[in-house]
Amino acid sequence: MPNLKFLHAKDVDFDGYLEGSLAELRWLKWEKCCDSFEAIDFHLEKLVVLDLSCKYNSGNHISENWRGWSSIKMERLKVLNLSRCLGLKSTPNLSMFKNLEMLILKNCACLEEIDPSIGDVKRLVFLNLSRCKGLKKLPEQLGELENLEELVVDETQIKEIPPCIGSLKKLKTLSAKHCLQPIEVPSSIVEYCKLQPIPSSIGKLRELVELDLSYTGIKELPESIEEFNKLKILRICGSGMERLPSSIGRLQSLQEINADGCFDLEGQIHFDKGGLSSLKTLRLAFAKISGLPENLDQLHSLEHLDLLCLESLSHSRNLLLTYHPRSSPVRAMSCHRSLT
């Protein structure tokens, strides 16, 4: 079959000398292949897609030690689909797949480890690890995947996205839905990058304690931020933020708002009665905030107030002169001439 381009095999094995037999094959879908491998000279040098996935009611039991990984020559491979390969405890050595762009490991229930050789797959664009329920950790070598655009770890046991992910300059999508453990996301993912508008669905992250969007291109926060009942720290310094949602004034656990260097941040800050009752730090240096709330003196926990160079601030002279906190003194660091 020298001209065959696509082959779908199921419940079969390849055996004997196969040199040149499938020389033009581009796509091989191989269901339920055996973990043993007896073929010799099985060269698939033009193969682009290797699909070893199986349907829901079955599984492929090849392991990371399958002889096929080293015996089949697949230098041009771009797509490797290992979905529901139930014998995999680790990914195979991937260093021979230099041109791989898509690696799919969905529903590999026994997968516990991503082999460090994944760092050699420099052209990888898409990595899907969803429903790998035995996976608890991602390797630091992921940070070497300079072309990675999408990483999916839905329904895994991963507890932490490693800081190395912050070096992935082309990453567009990081999906970690329905993870089996609380997951920690490093600040390096959101710092110094251009992000799309934050969706209102972010309000569903009700266990969130810290949100750091510093030095991003994000321009606004959704009103659903009021659902962050446990949020303690909000940092947006140096970002492209243009306004703060009015609902931010209802957050009773919030202790810090840092908006230093938000040169486009305009409007006024409002808070409801009883809102921002835990706020200790309010930093607005170099922003364009035009007004502070008249009931600022009700922020009994406020300790640090930075109003450095608020050129747009008005109607606040009397407010600052008469503000006397009931607990600890506030350090008002404003250099705005209209307040002197």
Side-chain angles (χ1 to χ4, degrees), residues 90-110:
S90 172
T91 57
N93 189 322
L94 299 167
S95 57
M96 71 282 289
F97 302 128
K98 302 293 186 182
N99 295 303
L100 196 65
E101 296 179 4
M102 296 183 66
L103 177 57
I104 306 170
L105 292 152
K106 187 176 181 180
N107 283 307
C108 291
C110 297

Side-chain angles (χ1 to χ4, degrees), residues 322-336:
T322 59
Y323 177 51
H324 299 288
R326 299 180 183 178
S327 55
S328 56
V330 169
R331 295 192 305 186
M333 299 179 284
S334 174
C335 294
H336 181 52

